Amino acid sequence: MDSDNLLGQFLRARRGLVRPEDLNMPGGDRRRVSGLRREEVAMLAGLSTDYYVRLEQGRERNPSVQVLDALAGALMLDDDGIAHLHQLARPRPAKGRRSTHGRQVGPGLMRMLNNWPNTPAVILDRCMKVLAHNPLGGALFAGHTYSGDLMRLVFLDPDARDFYPDWDRVAVNTVAGLREAAGSDLNDPQLIEVVGELSLKSADFRRLWARHDIRQKTRETKRFHHPVVGELTVEYESLTVNSAPGQQLVVYQAEPGSPSEHTLSLLGSLIASQAAETAEAADQPAHDA
């Protein structure tokens, strides 16, 4: 990942995704570039073509807020994309991020998770590795090669497209979420490792990473085809863990009274039965003695 000209990379990628016809401009098969030409973006943003070219090439690194907002309009960016554009132009120092985004989950947070026996919950780092979960959260993602790593689960697990019935949408949102979490800090060793491995092993990941889509992980409805209990639809809420920057608490809930709520209850009953059997087996030698 070349982190020397992130703003230029983002502008080029997003320019290539805007269809001229969406902006009432002539399209057609004769265009030599996908998306907009540089001079078209410059015209739409009210800039000179030379200035816009210098932005893309990284020779101009101090665009004003007004210029950034004009570019956001020309490139049809949504709120997450606009925020990312401004961050790339004026990156904030990632103070303490690499030392704190990692592995330790606080004991108080774990107690809170375990006090939700009927609500699946997981703690993710910014590369979507599962740092911790409560029993139902672990059961929701159990049974896969990469159950503990949601990025690799989506793109490398052989069961991914069965597990996620809406895999195409999940893949787009997952990569966009990784882009948003990374921001302008692309030198983190874990991020480099994840992006490098997935780029080598997954053509789908390479294609989506090159789009520079940005989407903050907040809330979404998601469908699963669980290998044990079958179909269920849940809504998740993603919450930032302020005591551990880089960590996210993701909580899943089914609609009250829905078949999916019943399915989650069934999954909870199964793991409770398994836990009881394990405890009984552990007590048996002492009883026999």
Side-chain angles (χ1 to χ4, degrees), residues 25-59:
M25 301 175 67
D29 297 333
R30 291 191 170 186
R31 296 179 66 92
R32 295 182 179 179
V33 297
S34 61
L36 298 178
R37 302 184 182 97
R38 287 171 170 173
E39 58 268 25
E40 290 171 335
V41 175
M43 179 193 68
L44 290 167
L47 308 173
S48 72
T49 300
D50 177 68
Y51 181 80
Y52 178 76
V53 169
R54 285 188 281 122
L55 279 175
E56 274 203 6
Q57 293 177 344
R59 294 185 290 121

Side-chain angles (χ1 to χ4, degrees), residues 68-140:
L68 294 174
D69 287 340
L71 288 171
L75 297 173
M76 304 178 69
L77 300 182
D78 59 14
D79 289 344
D80 289 336
I82 293 170
H84 186 69
L85 176 65
H86 281 267
Q87 183 183 359
L88 293 180
R90 292 174 176 76
R92 298 183 296 272
K95 186 177 180 180
R97 190 175 192 181
R98 292 176 195 165
S99 62
T100 59
H101 81 256
R103 306 292 175 254
Q104 296 302 115
V105 175
L109 187 56
M110 281 306 308
R111 282 195 300 271
M112 184 174 72
L113 263 64
N114 290 325
N115 283 330
W116 298 338
N118 302 318
T119 303
V122 299
I123 304 291
L124 304 177
D125 69 12
R126 68 185 186 125
C127 291
M128 300 187 197
K129 187 176 181 65
V130 179
L131 302 179
H133 56 75
N134 63 7
L136 195 52
L140 182 62

Side-chain angles (χ1 to χ4, degrees), residues 159-180:
D159 300 327
R161 292 175 186 267
D162 292 329
F163 183 55
Y164 295 108
D166 304 311
W167 185 88
D168 289 334
R169 179 168 63 88
V170 169
V172 168
N173 290 343
T174 300
V175 175
L178 182 64
R179 275 277 185 195
E180 195 282 332

